[in-house]
Amino acid sequence: ASAAQQPSHSGRRGATDLEKHLELLVVENERLKQELKDAEALREAASRWESQARPRQKRLAELEQQVLEKASRVETLSRQLEESKRHAGEMQRQLEESKCQQGEVEQQLSVRLRDCEEELARQATRPHQVKYVTEIVEVESTESQQAVAEAQAKSVALQEQLSLQRQLLRELETQLHDSQRTSTQLRAQILVYEGEMERAQGQLEAEMQNLEEEKNRVIEEAFIRAESEMKAVHENLAGVRMNLLTLQPALRTLTCDYNCLKRQVQDFPFMLEKAITEAKQEICQVIGEVSSANQELLRKYKREMNLRKKCHNELVRIKGNIRVFCRVRPVCRGEHDSAENMVSFDPDDDALLYLSNKVKLMTFELDKVFHPQATQEEVFQEVQSLVTSCIDGFNVCIFAYGQTGSGKTYTMEGVAKDPGINQRALRLLFSEVTEKAPDWDFKITVSMVEIYNETLRNLLGDIQGEKLDIKMNPDGSGQLYVPGLTEFTVQSPEDINRVFELGHMNRATACTNLNEHSSRSHALLIITVAGVNSSTGHRTQGKLNLVDLAGSERIAKSGAEGSRLREAQCINKSLSALGDVINALRSRHSHVPFRNSRLTYLLSDSLSGDSKTLMMVQVSPLVSNMSESVCSLKFAQRVRTIELGNATRRQWENSSTSSSPTHDSVEITIQTHCFLQMKTPRVNARQSLHSNA
Ligand SMILES: Nc1ncnc2c1ncn2[C@@H]1O[C@H](COP(=O)(O)OP(=O)(O)OP(=O)(O)O)[C@@H](O)[C@H]1O
């Protein structure tokens, strides 16, 4: 191992030298690059200068071209001048010749004339001869004169021609002078340009010379440096070679290592495949374990859910199957009555409500009190566990109880923009059962009825205002049924809207004034949820009754007569019957008076056994409704207090069934009829009940 390490150590040192040398070379290289860059910059400057000089050269060339053109024009003009001169010379010569001839002829003629005159003078001396001579002379004189005239005409023509030629000559001379002037100017310009060109050329050449010299200098320097560097490189190379020789053993070791690694790399795919297969197996195993753990968790979750439900149901059972909530509606627009002093709430306990007038302060304890600002959603949050328990097979009744105008319809039906319990409950049930599919197959059916003057009316039927009857099922099961009652199966959220629209429409068309009518009739929405478990075959059936009761005000206060009196009596009858039934159930009477009213008779299967009941007592905040509000709250509290009193209950369960329950029954009935007169100024209903008990 040490032998292997030694070469690798020296190899490392050699490598370090090499690296150093390499670094030096890199630095030198950088420097040379920089110089090259400088030379490039100089070259670029020269080319820039050249590019600047180019337009001037072009202009010079143009001027030269112009000068050449002008010169050729001058040459042409000179040629023409020469020609004209030559021609004028010719003409001059001809003229001179003519003059000469004319002189000769004139001379001849004058000689002849003189001879003739002499002859004539001679002949004059001899008369005969003179006559003859005279004739001859005359003849000869005429001919001579003719010749002279011709010669003179010719001379005149030649003179004219000569003057024309002279004029032409003058013009040509003028032209020549102009051309010569232009030519002189152009020559002067050419001389200026040539001077400029020469100057520029001189500058360019000087700069080129400079650049050339600079370039040569830089190249020379670079060359010298490169040479010295080359020398150094060669020297280094020699050192490197030496190092290489020393590195060779290390290289051998490295080669050996490399080969080893190569073998490993070659083996790697097989190892990788093997590892992947193993990992896959492990992952599959883990997935299997996780999935079984998941299944187990799911099973536990379901079991916990069932347990939770059971606990909830047990809680409800312990708390009592009857729960009482109170909702105080806000003061509506247009109501001038002040509610400020009448209703107040406990900031620390949402189960307490205080009513006060000038002299009394009454405290009411219920399961929950909703203040006027409570939203529909908040109210529904509190009742939704009851609603969903009908999926588990429980029968549930939710009543809205209170005087006319206290907000019963608002709580149960709500308004289009902000629906109440009815619509929210149906939607919740629909979404819950949809979630349970496909394990469970649920069917939700809806019926809507109203009870007016003890008459049952179908609100979803085709026949408007169709009256119905409640009958015992002929199959001997002891179950009640309503022949002809329309049951609408809800299969989509749109069906829910359709049900409410139809029910509302049928109710509105069956009466002249819906508001008045609704306050004097009970409106029931009956939702049946039946389910079957697809794997176990287990069946459940629950019923949810949502009841908007008629107004609970006292007849004495309303001062009703005639048909109104009958309506009020019917309402009171059914409300008292409801109170009696609740009382009898709570008291575990052997006989529960369901049949005393249509309302209790119809709801009998949802009020007995394990059924759950919620009473929403609606309270108006107006001072003018004070006594009715007190009446409603006392009734509600009495129902709740009795039911919740476990000790009392146990006591009732242990004691003989006659005394206490009967007493309680009386209380409930009295409350329901609202005939209870407040005897003490600051009455607390619970205290009153306990003292009664
Ligand atoms: N919580 C509330 N928020 C806003 N307005 C409300 C509320 N409760 C009731 N109202 C309004 O008070 C008025 C009376 O309410 P509603 O008709 O629901 O009373 P009711 O008890 O059903 O009367 P009736 O017995 O005549 O049917 C309505 O205009 C309603 O919109």
Side-chain angles (χ1 to χ4, degrees), residues 327 329-330 332 403-410 515 518-519 551:
R327 187 178 192 186
R329 77 156 168 86
C332 296
Q403 73 174 113
T404 297
S406 57
K408 300 184 293 295
T409 309
Y410 186 87
N515 283 343
S518 78
S519 52

